[in-house]
């Protein structure tokens, strides 16, 4: 079964609004990563947060990690139509030879 | 730098045919991966290679074989394609096999009739 599960499965917002996506996982992790996938394209890495970090920022992106709840959130502020994409969380578990395990993704649609 | 390249971009096979998906990276990365992506399923790891000369099974290896030809190239072979292997296949690489950022190719869309 998938280690990471994103919530919601789909999210539709207006340009300028903030978008929040959540990811829950089951076992202890080494780090958690967020990726973006535009339709018909490969995945692009957005941000990595380590298990001993609680929050990280990159431009309009803010990621939080709560290891006690085994959850992470990705916040995109002041969204743009170009942010329309699928967003995936991926976890790295220490016992898994450091392979990534992906969730099923959140489809974000930003309406102009 | 081209990053991670994959060929072909699209392929149609008949059940029972074989084919090899090619992947190459020019970033001098040690580790390379093959994933498949199906609607509503996210990405699932087929095989990976932590370094040149080694390969290991991932979550869904049945029906596939891989070859790490050299540090740059990692190929995925379907010996006898089945309709269940219709999917989008992604190759990725990372600088070391320890959970670092992965860089993805553009994908190969495979349709097995």
């Amino acid at each position: 079964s998938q280690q990471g599960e994103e919530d919601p499965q789909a999210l539709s917002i207006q340009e300028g609004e903030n978008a929040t996506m959540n990811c829950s996982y089951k076992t202890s992790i080494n780090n958690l990563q967020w990726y973006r996938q535009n339709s018909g394209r490969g995945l692009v890495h957005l941000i990595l947060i380590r298990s001993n970090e609680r929050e990280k920022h990159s431009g309009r992106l803010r990621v939080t990690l709560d290891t006690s709840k085994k959850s992470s959130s990705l916040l995109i502020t002041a969204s743009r139509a170009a942010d329309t994409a699928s967003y995936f969380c991926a976890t790295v578990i220490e016992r898994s030879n450091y392979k990534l395990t992906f969730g099923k993704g959140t489809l974000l649609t930003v309406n102009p | 730098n081209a990053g991670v390249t994959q060929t072909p971009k699209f392929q149609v096979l008949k059940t029972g045919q074989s084919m090899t998906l090619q992947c190459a990276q020019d970033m001098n990365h040690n580790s390379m991966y093959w994933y498949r992506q199906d609607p509503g399923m996210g990405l699932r790891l087929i095989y990976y290679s932590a370094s040149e000369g080694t390969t290991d099974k991932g979550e869904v290896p049945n029906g596939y074989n891989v070859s790490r030809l050299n540090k740059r190239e990692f190929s995925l072979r379907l010996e006898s394609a089945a309709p269940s292997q219709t999917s989008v296949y992604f190759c990725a690489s990372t600088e070391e096999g320890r959970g670092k950022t992965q860089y993805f190719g553009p994908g190969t869309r495979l349709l097995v009739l």
Side-chain angles (χ1 to χ4, degrees):
Chain A
S1 63
Q2 299 288 344
Q3 158 73 343
E5 294 288 341
E6 292 89 343
D7 172 63
Q9 290 185 330
L11 179 61
S12 182
I13 60 174
Q14 296 298 124
E15 233 176 358
E17 293 181 339
N18 294 342
T20 299
M21 288 158 272
N22 302 297
C23 172
S24 59
Y25 57 92
K26 296 176 183 175
T27 59
S28 295
I29 60 172
N30 176 277
N31 69 67
L32 184 145
Q33 303 176 27
W34 285 91
Y35 287 79
R36 164 192 169 131
Q37 183 181 33
N38 288 86
S39 180
R41 309 292 290 273
L43 278 74
V44 175
H45 178 261
L46 295 176
I47 198 164
L48 181 154
I49 187 164
R50 301 186 192 284
S51 59
N52 60 354
E53 297 175 313
R54 292 297 166 258
E55 188 170 313
K56 235 177 160 176
H57 297 254
S58 176
R60 293 185 294 113
L61 305 180
R62 173 178 165 244
V63 169
T64 61
L65 179 65
D66 187 334
T67 52
S68 66
K69 295 181 180 178
K70 292 187 169 57
S71 67
S72 173
S73 67
L74 171 66
L75 169 67
I76 303 174
T77 60
S79 63
R80 306 165 182 167
D83 294 328
T84 294
S86 291
Y87 292 83
F88 294 88
C89 71
T91 53
V92 177
I93 308 168
E94 294 191 23
R95 294 189 306 277
S96 69
N97 197 24
Y98 295 94
K99 300 187 298 294
L100 284 181
T101 303
F102 286 85
K104 297 179 182 180
T106 292
L107 176 59
L108 173 65
T109 302
V110 182
N111 301 300
Chain B
N1 276 354
V4 180
T5 57
Q6 292 183 236
T7 55
K9 285 186 169 53
F10 181 70
Q11 184 73 46
V12 179
L13 292 178
K14 294 180 180 178
T15 296
Q17 288 185 317
S18 62
M19 79 163 293
T20 299
L21 283 66
Q22 306 286 353
C23 173
Q25 51 90 10
D26 62 1
M27 296 173 283
N28 202 35
H29 287 170
N30 288 324
S31 300
M32 298 184 72
Y33 308 81
W34 275 106
Y35 295 90
R36 60 177 289 173
Q37 184 177 33
D38 302 292
M41 291 295 293
L43 274 77
R44 292 182 292 170
L45 183 65
I46 304 171
Y47 270 93
Y48 69 101
S49 171
S51 62
E52 186 178 353
T54 68
T55 60
D56 286 286
K57 295 178 180 179
E59 184 184 352
V60 288
N62 290 345
Y64 305 95
N65 285 302
V66 290
S67 295
R68 183 72 184 268
L69 304 170
N70 48 55
K71 192 170 186 179
R72 288 188 64 249
E73 299 171 289
F74 188 37
S75 62
L76 178 72
R77 183 161 178 83
L78 286 70
E79 291 291 351
S80 178
S84 61
Q85 294 177 303
T86 292
S87 188
V88 182
Y89 291 85
F90 289 99
C91 178
S93 70
T94 190
E95 53 189 328
E96 61 183 67
R98 290 191 174 272
K100 299 290 187 183
T101 299
Q102 290 194 6
Y103 296 82
F104 283 80
T108 294
R109 293 184 177 274
L110 176 66
L111 175 62
V112 182
L113 301 174

